[in-house]
Amino acid sequence: MTTINRQDSNTPVTAPPIASSKQPLPTVKTVDTQSVRKRLQSELMALMMSGDSGISAFPEEDNLFNWKGTISGSKDTVFEGTEYKLSLSFPNDYPFKSPKVKFETSCFHPNVDVFGNICLDILQDKWSSAYDVRTILISIQSLLGEPNTASPLNTQAASLWGNQEEYRKMVEKLYKPVA
Amino acid sequence: MFCVSAMVVEDATSSVCDLGILDSLNGDAVREIMETWNGYCFATEAALLNGRGDLSCGSKLVSQARNLCKYGLESLVEEHFAGFLEETFEKNGASKFWEHFDVYSNVAAREMIMDRPYKDSTPEKRQNSGGTERLHLLSKYQSMVSSVLWLLFLLIFLTTVHNLAGDDYRSSALESIKGWIQAVPLQFLHALLAYLGDSINYDDTPSSGLKSPLVLCPSSCYAGIDSPSEGLVRWQFRLEYFAYETLQDLRIAKLFEIIVDYPDSSPAIEDLKQCLEYTGQHSKLVVSFISALRYRLLTAGASTNDLLHLYVSTIKALRTIDPAGVFLEAVGEPIREYLKGRKDTIKCIVTMLTDGTGGNSNGPGNTGDSLLEELNRDEESQVNTGVDDDFNTDDKQAWINAHRWEPDPVEADPLKGSRNQRKVDILGMIVSIIGSKDQLVNEYRVMLAEKLLNKSDYDIDAEIRTLELLKIHFGESSMQRCEIMLNDLIDSKRTNANLKATILQRSQAGLLYKRIFELGRAEAVGENGVSLDILNATIISSNFWPPIQDESFNIPEPVDRLLSDYAKRFNEVKTPRKLLWKKNLGTVKLELQFEDRSLQFTVTPLHASIITQFQDQTSWTSKNLSAAIGLPIDVLHRRINFWISKGILSESLGADSNDHIFTLVDGTADTSKTGANTGGYEELVVGDDDGDRSVASVEDQLHKEMAVYEKFVIMMLGSLGGMESHKIHNKLKMFYVADPRYDKSPQQLESFLSGLVAEDKLELIDGGIYKPV
């Protein structure tokens, strides 16, 4: 639901510049691409050098705008011992717009739907250019252990969350590690 | 056998003759024919086998032959006689003939030839019919004899060449073979051709007056033959070619052995070169040698040193055979590829390059010498050298080069570049294994540092010489750091002398000085009046030296005082420079005095510090000792082993199982162990166990540099899964943007990755894929 909201709210914001100035757009865009690349590169370096455990991400193939990431479930949560693959795709106007982040591995979680879409505020309306890949990954990692059951995408998971023991069983049953 | 042949002949005759004749033969006639035939056969046998002088058999034979002829069986008679003659000749005459050959008696050979007309007289007598028929028979006989002879001749020729060539590569076989050809086969052929009237072989060549160009060549003297006929000269060339080819095949098959003992086997190489000039079968050499290499050299069992030595020998040997280096390129390729895969290649190369000069007879100094000699030779002969100097040639040089140009041999692979890139420069070819001269220079620098730091005198003449040679090949600029290192040594010597003489004030280039100490004759340790005389310092400009291993420990107090005293004086002389001692480097000469003996050692400062502790207290627990020296226990255990192995200390278990007790061995207690050392002089080869190097090796440096990529690589593999090393290399090149940028070679990365595998941080699975654990 929030996803839809975000798109609704975003469309009017981005529309005016495209409509108003068609001529300078290409140059602006290339310059932007350059700076976006730079930003992504430095984010990558920061992430690689941070040495945070349990999260990692790296550009897929040679495209700097599509990354593959992994998140492992934190200790002492029902997700402990699991590892999830994510895909991150960055828009051309990153970091002014949030990247699209999806679970590639199916994840039984109140805020993740069957297609892997994630409902997380900082990926939608609360996005700020101060966030980066590392903070996104850390946020998602913590989201695993602390779901927002109030506005679930997966109602079954939300209702089961109360019973952690049963939930753990469900996670184990549905967990399919990617080779 | 006779019966069978008779029957066969009978059958043959009956089928050939028309039936009319058969009809005309009555039983008596048939019987007569059979009898005569048998008689004839016996007579033939008798005439030919029982020797030449006995002509009585001959007359019998002739009459029987006549009888047979009456029945129209001339052809049969002829054939049988010829066949039998051939057989006999092969059996008796030929073997005798070649026996004579073997003893090099051409007189005998000629006699044998002369014998032939006599033998021939038998059929002549028998067949005294028309002249034409006789000629026919004669020519038939001649061709038969020559074909038999030729066959045997080849056999003998081959075995003789093999015998002459033998397995001795230290002398040239070609000359003796040529001599033999002159002495024996040619004489024989001369006789044979004379006998055949010089007609058989060449009568059929068109007599248009066109002579073979070979014949026009001035041929060498023909002993005993006045004017060589054309046929004979042709024969000579034919034989020589045959000899060349045989010898060439023989040598190519053994080329590997020949190259293994190359400098000694150069006559064989020279032979091969001449043979190949004649035959032009270079490609045979390449194919056969490469397969020999694959099979015998490029295996895990061959040490890198051997590989390199053989590579150098190959270059030298093949350079003789083929100065353009075309075949060398083809042959060298597999060796180079293989060497690239070896980790210690660079080290071995540098050792090879420098060992001959160091006067260090530890390694196989032989090739070291020859490599240096190679450098020397190049130094003298080449005006414009340098591995990458090819484009700096001035106009004059270019003109000279243009004049010297020769086309590449046909076998040259046009894809492999022209002659210019292919010049046979041993050093260049060796450097090409490593890839860049920088790596080689770096490795040399580390080795040089090691060598210099372990010098107890300031004698660096040999190193200076090597450096000068290297400078010629690699350019001044790349050897600059090494030069500074050598200069440090020279300066140290001067400074040291100055300080000791307390001569003050001397200005010097503004380099940062660090100081390495070296103790001379430290038996004075423990006395109060330790004088500066026993101390020689090596002052190094640390910026230009390879990273130096640091290991801190407490050195004996008097020595420490000595050091600070020295440093203070240095500071006085060279204000504002100060000395920073690297206390773990250098060598200590010390003498241990026991009640009944004294022992001399040259050891590292650390070893000296350990043994000094036992001066006042003969027994230490490892804990206390490590505290006293300021060394971690495990390091102490490793180092103290030196003294234990020398029988100076003994080790026993203490109360606590982790706490060992080391005791000074009393002089009389263990003479058997130390007896050999009594009064002797022991030298510890510094750096012989790998924890003991004073300079960080190139690999260590590389691993340190690569450590920054560790997180990156592990993270990356974590998110993308396993990857081959070349992919990792590409990713690093593309995405590693921090300063300094990723600039390592795929080989370096590979070695780093295998390091990570060894540390269990990565695992290597099938297909060369590295995976996070």
Side-chain angles (χ1 to χ4, degrees):
Chain A
M1 279 128 252
T2 353
T3 329
I4 294 161
N5 277 344
R6 184 184 65 93
Q7 276 167 354
D8 283 347
S9 62
N10 268 347
T11 324
V13 180
T14 45
I18 297 168
S20 60
S21 55
K22 271 218 160 101
Q23 294 293 357
L25 192 65
T27 48
V28 168
K29 203 170 179 183
T30 52
V31 170
D32 271 349
T33 315
Q34 275 301 324
S35 63
V36 175
R37 278 180 177 283
K38 238 185 182 155
R39 156 109 184 189
L40 284 172
Q41 291 239 327
S42 60
E43 277 191 25
L44 178 64
M45 281 312 291
L47 176 69
M48 295 314 247
M49 290 306 152
S50 69
D52 290 313
S53 66
I55 59 165
S56 73
F58 204 81
E60 190 186 13
E61 296 308 313
D62 298 335
N63 185 358
L64 201 52
F65 289 85
N66 283 319
W67 293 27
K68 285 263 175 259
T70 51
I71 288 177
S72 39
S74 314
K75 224 171 169 287
D76 300 325
T77 68
V78 285
F79 294 97
E80 184 180 342
T82 56
E83 193 180 75
Y84 296 95
K85 295 253 169 222
L86 297 133
S87 70
L88 298 92
S89 81
F90 297 90
N92 283 335
D93 47 0
Y94 182 82
F96 303 107
K97 261 171 80 178
S98 66
K100 287 197 180 68
V101 185
K102 272 180 71 172
F103 272 93
E104 299 276 292
T105 324
S106 69
C107 176
F108 184 68
H109 188 274
N111 304 107
V112 180
D113 70 12
V114 284
F115 307 108
N117 296 314
I118 306 166
C119 176
L120 180 64
D121 52 357
I122 64 158
L123 289 177
Q124 285 123 23
D125 48 343
K126 295 266 178 61
W127 171 255
S128 138
S129 59
Y131 291 126
D132 61 13
V133 182
R134 188 171 155 262
T135 49
I136 292 172
L137 291 176
I138 291 176
S139 305
I140 295 176
Q141 195 183 28
S142 58
L143 178 73
L144 285 183
E146 299 152 13
N148 177 7
T149 40
S151 60
L153 285 178
N154 184 337
T155 45
Q156 192 201 352
S159 56
L160 201 62
W161 183 255
N163 186 349
Q164 290 281 300
E165 224 164 87
E166 281 298 306
Y167 198 95
R168 171 73 190 171
K169 276 182 193 153
M170 202 64 184
V171 168
E172 275 170 4
K173 199 176 126 197
L174 295 175
Y175 176 62
K176 287 184 222 104
V178 188
Chain B
M1 180 210 154
F2 286 119
C3 291
V4 173
S5 69
M7 289 313 289
V8 170
V9 170
E10 202 88 57
D11 282 352
T13 2
S14 43
S15 64
V16 170
C17 301
D18 59 44
L19 292 166
I21 297 179
L22 266 186
D23 283 346
S24 73
L25 295 174
N26 57 21
D28 285 347
V30 171
R31 204 173 304 122
E32 197 189 337
I33 291 176
M34 286 302 287
E35 274 168 14
T36 336
W37 172 253
N38 282 346
Y40 168 70
C41 286
F42 281 122
T44 324
E45 196 183 8
L48 290 174
L49 287 185
N50 295 349
R52 307 128 203 189
D54 191 6
L55 285 180
S56 59
C57 304
S59 62
K60 207 170 152 196
L61 179 77
V62 171
S63 69
Q64 268 158 343
R66 284 228 184 87
N67 268 344
L68 281 173
C69 288
K70 261 198 315 211
Y71 293 99
L73 296 173
E74 293 96 341
S75 62
L76 181 62
V77 170
E78 251 173 52
E79 222 150 87
H80 177 75
F81 187 79
F84 204 80
L85 189 63
E86 185 171 345
E87 204 178 293
T88 323
F89 179 58
E90 226 170 283
K91 234 188 261 166
N92 300 347
S95 64
K96 273 214 184 91
F97 176 73
W98 295 114
E99 267 167 36
H100 288 299
F101 241 177
D102 276 355
V103 293
Y104 282 65
S105 156
N106 52 32
V107 182
R110 205 138 358 126
E111 269 172 15
M112 287 304 296
I113 305 278
M114 294 316 157
D115 261 1
R116 204 68 26 69
Y118 151 72
K119 273 190 175 178
D120 213 33
S121 65
T122 337
E124 261 178 82
K125 250 190 215 164
R126 174 179 58 81
Q127 197 75 37
N128 48 7
S129 38
T132 46
E133 206 175 335
R134 192 182 139 197
L135 212 86
H136 159 72
L137 206 65
L138 190 62
S139 74
K140 193 170 172 187
Y141 168 72
Q142 278 176 337
S143 70
M144 178 201 86
V145 166
S146 57
S147 77
V148 172
L149 278 183
W150 181 235
L151 203 78
L152 285 161
F153 188 72
L154 284 186
L155 265 172
I156 286 292
F157 196 86
L158 270 172
T159 47
T160 316
V161 170
H162 276 240
N163 285 341
L164 283 178
D167 275 344
D168 179 22
Y169 311 124
R170 276 145 221 261
S171 56
S172 171
L174 200 56
E175 282 315 308
S176 53
I177 288 177
K178 272 185 180 170
W180 179 76
I181 289 177
Q182 288 286 345
V184 187
L186 272 182
Q187 294 295 337
F188 162 64
L189 279 168
H190 178 70
L192 183 65
L193 288 177
Y195 160 63
L196 296 177
D198 223 346
S199 55
I200 297 293
N201 293 295
Y202 299 106
D203 268 2
D204 48 338
T205 51
S207 54
S208 55
L210 273 176
K211 283 191 165 186
S212 157
L214 291 177
V215 181
L216 300 176
C217 298
S219 45
S220 45
C221 61
Y222 293 80
I225 303 166
D226 303 330
S227 54
S229 65
E230 183 183 335
L232 193 60
V233 177
R234 277 176 191 261
W235 267 107
Q236 189 200 356
F237 283 111
R238 202 186 273 189
L239 284 181
E240 279 183 358
Y241 183 87
F242 188 61
Y244 281 134
E245 199 176 12
T246 316
L247 184 64
Q248 164 218 303
D249 287 352
L250 210 61
R251 288 293 184 243
I252 283 181
K254 296 277 176 194
L255 188 59
F256 189 83
E257 283 91 341
I258 296 178
I259 283 184
V260 166
D261 38 321
Y262 165 64
D264 296 329
S265 63
S266 48
I269 293 284
E270 203 54 46
D271 279 359
L272 185 56
K273 181 194 176 185
Q274 285 194 30
C275 292
L276 285 172
E277 269 168 17
Y278 263 81
T279 59
Q281 296 174 335
H282 290 81
S283 51
K284 215 180 197 175
L285 179 146
V286 173
V287 171
S288 136
F289 188 54
I290 286 181
S291 74
L293 280 178
R294 288 242 155 83
Y295 183 64
R296 303 186 52 179
L297 182 69
L298 306 181
T299 56
S303 80
T304 310
N305 249 329
D306 292 347
L307 278 168
L308 280 169
H309 288 175
L310 198 97
Y311 183 54
V312 173
S313 297
T314 310
I315 295 174
K316 285 182 193 161
L318 291 191
R319 196 171 48 180
T320 327
I321 294 175
D322 149 50
V326 176
F327 309 108
L328 179 56
E329 180 134 328
V331 170
E333 189 69 34
I335 311 184
R336 276 199 299 275
E337 280 307 310
Y338 188 80
L339 277 173
K340 274 180 197 167
R342 289 272 178 113
K343 276 183 183 167
D344 52 346
T345 302
I346 302 182
K347 208 169 270 170
C348 287
I349 287 175
V350 177
T351 319
M352 263 176 91
L353 279 175
T354 54
D355 227 18
T357 48
N360 202 342
S361 53
N362 283 352
N366 233 347
T367 319
D369 279 335
S370 64
L371 250 194
L372 180 80
E373 163 210 312
E374 196 59 48
L375 291 171
N376 286 338
R377 201 184 56 72
D378 287 1
E379 173 190 31
E380 283 153 19
S381 64
Q382 284 180 309
V383 197
N384 220 334
T385 40
V387 183
D388 46 4
D389 233 17
D390 254 6
F391 301 101
N392 305 339
T393 48
D394 54 12
D395 289 348
K396 197 178 157 202
Q397 188 65 34
W399 180 247
I400 294 170
N401 287 345
H403 268 278
R404 276 205 220 114
W405 186 83
E406 271 180 52
D408 284 341
V410 245
E411 291 88 345
D413 186 349
L415 296 176
K416 297 236 170 103
S418 76
R419 165 189 304 265
N420 283 339
Q421 281 116 46
R422 214 176 27 227
K423 75 173 166 188
V424 185
D425 163 22
I426 293 187
L427 195 66
M429 295 198 71
I430 288 176
V431 171
S432 75
I433 299 174
I434 306 177
S436 80
K437 63 175 182 182
D438 292 344
Q439 267 171 286
L440 190 137
V441 171
N442 248 346
E443 188 71 42
Y444 174 69
R445 202 159 61 95
V446 170
M447 269 179 60
L448 182 68
E450 185 86 23
K451 233 184 220 172
L452 293 181
L453 290 182
N454 289 326
K455 276 204 185 300
S456 54
D457 44 12
Y458 296 102
D459 178 24
I460 52 168
D461 289 350
E463 280 75 20
I464 291 178
R465 179 159 176 71
T466 313
L467 184 68
E468 288 301 320
L469 289 173
L470 287 173
K471 262 206 254 175
I472 293 169
H473 291 276
F474 299 126
E476 296 255 342
S477 56
S478 47
M479 303 309 292
Q480 197 186 20
R481 292 167 140 226
C482 296
E483 210 177 354
I484 291 173
M485 285 159 62
L486 289 180
N487 276 335
D488 279 350
L489 263 269
I490 298 170
D491 285 347
S492 303
K493 185 182 183 180
R494 207 167 38 213
T495 317
N496 205 46
N498 281 352
L499 274 174
K500 283 183 184 169
T502 38
I503 297 167
L504 298 175
Q505 297 313 325
R506 190 192 282 257
S507 67
Q508 228 159 4
L511 297 169
L512 178 77
Y513 284 93
K514 288 195 179 179
R515 187 149 272 233
I516 288 181
F517 85 90
E518 178 179 288
L519 297 173
R521 290 175 301 282
E523 80 271 20
V525 167
E527 298 168 19
N528 281 334
V530 190
S531 82
L532 277 178
D533 286 344
I534 62 162
L535 182 71
N536 288 319
T538 305
I539 304 150
I540 65 170
S541 325
S542 63
N543 283 349
F544 296 90
W545 286 61
I548 285 168
Q549 308 252 317
D550 221 346
E551 194 172 27
S552 74
F553 59 93
N554 305 329
I555 57 171
E557 206 270 321
V559 184
D560 206 20
R561 235 185 297 127
L562 190 67
L563 292 183
S564 44
D565 193 28
Y566 193 103
K568 215 167 81 197
R569 282 208 212 177
F570 181 86
N571 194 21
E572 280 163 16
V573 175
K574 294 196 182 284
T575 346
R577 288 179 206 107
K578 280 183 186 166
L579 285 180
L580 285 169
W581 292 100
K582 296 275 182 188
K583 296 180 182 174
N584 56 323
L585 302 179
T587 52
V588 180
K589 279 184 199 150
L590 54 86
E591 189 178 307
L592 303 177
Q593 285 183 326
F594 297 90
E595 278 167 15
D596 56 338
R597 65 206 159 120
S598 72
L599 300 169
Q600 281 193 344
F601 291 96
T602 303
V603 295
T604 63
L606 181 52
H607 287 118
S609 301
I610 292 174
I611 202 67
T612 315
Q613 297 294 334
F614 288 85
Q615 190 163 257
D616 306 320
Q617 182 184 339
T618 55
S619 185
W620 289 82
T621 65
S622 49
K623 265 183 196 155
N624 292 342
L625 188 59
S626 88
I629 300 177
L631 207 63
I633 287 190
D634 53 330
V635 180
L636 175 76
H637 273 277
R638 213 172 60 219
R639 298 310 169 95
I640 208 168
N641 267 332
F642 171 75
W643 293 116
I644 294 170
S645 72
K646 294 289 175 224
I648 306 292
L649 298 179
S650 69
E651 186 181 10
S652 54
L653 281 179
D656 180 359
S657 64
N658 287 327
D659 212 10
H660 293 233
I661 295 171
F662 300 104
T663 323
L664 194 66
V665 174
D666 202 278
T668 50
D670 200 359
T671 39
S672 63
K673 212 172 176 184
T674 53
N677 297 338
T678 309
Y681 180 74
E682 284 280 334
E683 190 150 354
L684 170 67
V685 183
V686 185
D688 67 348
D689 61 319
D690 32 11
D692 225 15
R693 294 174 58 102
S694 38
V695 183
S697 73
V698 171
E699 290 99 82
D700 291 348
Q701 291 177 46
L702 179 72
H703 274 252
K704 241 173 233 164
E705 284 173 41
M706 295 290 274
V708 293
Y709 308 120
E710 184 183 316
K711 267 186 199 165
F712 194 98
V713 168
I714 289 175
M715 274 274 206
M716 176 172 75
L717 295 180
S719 48
L720 298 185
M723 257 189 253
E724 294 99 325
S725 87
H726 70 92
K727 269 195 185 160
I728 299 176
H729 178 69
N730 288 341
K731 295 274 181 208
L732 277 169
K733 265 181 28 191
M734 198 175 308
F735 295 119
Y736 194 90
V737 290
D739 262 354
R741 296 280 304 216
Y742 175 75
D743 58 352
K744 301 292 178 267
S745 71
Q747 288 82 5
Q748 288 172 323
L749 177 71
E750 185 92 46
S751 122
F752 168 66
L753 289 175
S754 49
L756 288 182
V757 171
E759 289 169 38
D760 281 334
K761 287 174 176 161
L762 290 180
E763 62 179 321
L764 181 61
I765 55 171
D766 290 347
I769 290 172
Y770 290 91
K771 238 184 66 178
V773 177

